[in-house]
Amino acid sequence: MFFSLIIPVYNRPEELAELLESLSKSNYSKNFEVVIVEDGSSLKCDTVVAQYESKLTISYFYKANSGPGDSRNFGMKHAKGDYFIIFDSDCIIPPNYLVEVEQSLNSQYVDCFGGPDKALDSFSDIQKAINFAMTSFLTTGGIRGGSEKIDKFQPRSFNMGISRAAFETSKGFGNIHPGEDPDLSIRLWNLGFETKLIPSAYVYHKRRIDWDKFAVQVNKFGKARPILNSWYPQHNKLTFFFPSLFILGFGLAVLLLVFTLDYLLKMYFIYFLVLFLVSSFQNKSIKIGYLSIIAVWKQFFGYGTGFIESYLKVIVFKQKPEEAFPELFFKR
């Protein structure tokens, strides 16, 4: 296998430098190529790419802005490999990543795989708290992972591999964002391709977002899910409703206080206490434990309210997704 690493980037030259630096330290003994696709950035990263031309087999393309999914497709069309690996520009790649991927594919080949994400000690406290919220078994990250079989995994595009054959057959990513990765996974299944999770193929996902941007991001995740459910009802799951039920349940818990009934609110208190303790222990920091409560609340509230809004518009009132949420669709 010859790997082509596809990296779309938009106005983030500094974080791309960190990603390329990590790739330059790979212990993979075979050759691989890196394809950078600049998606109409005003802060171009061409000078950053030039610094690594002597360390990596790297190519750079600049194109008009059309979104991350279309940029990944552009990169795969111009890549030379027979297997593509897609990273977000805010990822840092461990030295043994490609070794782990090759060993797993040689052992059990699939045309599409995904890997998990972790946090480095150098990440900020907020980044570690958000990482906990996005990956913990106690949150929607855990619900997502637990609701999918390891050999029926929906890879996420920050850390995802796809064969040339699967890309050419499926035509790659659609124009919805977010939601383009589960959309592609389901289309691949329908075309007869298999996917899987490679647990050892993790990346360090350095999400460079503040609380407000995180809230907007997870709200979009929530809006995208009912759209995907309307496209692929056979893959709808009860777990997708959990964040919305969590928010509605919290509202009910507060309302019950009027009638001096506090048992439901106590359950929420216990849940957040468990979150605090688990995060504090995992991150060895009480501060991060506290910040994780904020992160999880924003995650559930943002996703839950977005899901409810989208469910009403798309499922109940049958609005066209592109008309109901034009901000989720890139024009090609």
Side-chain angles (χ1 to χ4, degrees), residues 316-329:
V316 177
F317 297 112
K318 307 297 182 182
Q319 286 186 248
K320 293 183 178 179
E322 295 85 352
E323 295 177 0
F325 302 105
E327 71 275 13
L328 299 184
F329 294 88

Side-chain angles (χ1 to χ4, degrees), residues 1-5 28 32-33 83 85 98 101-102 105:
M1 276 178 287
F2 180 68
F3 293 121
S4 293
L5 279 50
Y28 187 63
F32 63 92
E33 70 165 341
Y83 212 104
I85 297 178
L98 291 176
V101 169
E102 185 176 64
L105 292 179

Side-chain angles (χ1 to χ4, degrees), residues 2 16 34 60 76 168 200 206 210 238 254 300 307 325-326:
F2 180 68
L16 181 67
V34 181
Y60 170 81
M76 288 186 280
E168 291 178 347
S200 59
K206 196 173 185 178
D210 55 28
L238 182 62
V254 173
F300 274 89
F307 185 97
F325 302 105

Side-chain angles (χ1 to χ4, degrees), residues 110-129:
V110 292
D111 284 280
C112 183
F113 74 87
D117 61 319
K118 296 184 179 183
L120 281 169
D121 290 339
S122 59
F123 286 11
S124 71
D125 289 344
I126 290 180
Q127 286 172 330
K128 292 177 181 177

Side-chain angles (χ1 to χ4, degrees), residues 243-264:
S244 299
L245 295 175
F246 182 92
I247 296 301
L248 294 174
F250 187 82
L252 177 61
V254 173
L255 180 63
L256 288 176
L257 289 178
V258 177
F259 305 98
T260 66
L261 300 173
D262 62 354
Y263 62 91
L264 187 56

Side-chain angles (χ1 to χ4, degrees), residues 198-248:
I198 303 180
S200 59
Y202 61 86
V203 300
Y204 300 109
H205 200 180
K206 196 173 185 178
R207 298 176 178 90
R208 298 195 178 185
I209 50 179
D210 55 28
W211 288 129
D212 291 337
K213 291 179 180 178
F214 179 59
V216 171
Q217 182 187 61
V218 293
N219 183 257
K220 287 183 177 180
F221 289 158
K223 289 176 179 176
R225 179 50 67 180
I227 296 173
L228 296 172
N229 291 346
S230 71
W231 293 346
Y232 311 108
Q234 69 274 27
H235 294 286
N236 196 0
K237 298 176 182 177
L238 182 62
T239 52
F240 296 151
F241 293 80
F242 282 3
S244 299
L245 295 175
F246 182 92
I247 296 301
L248 294 174

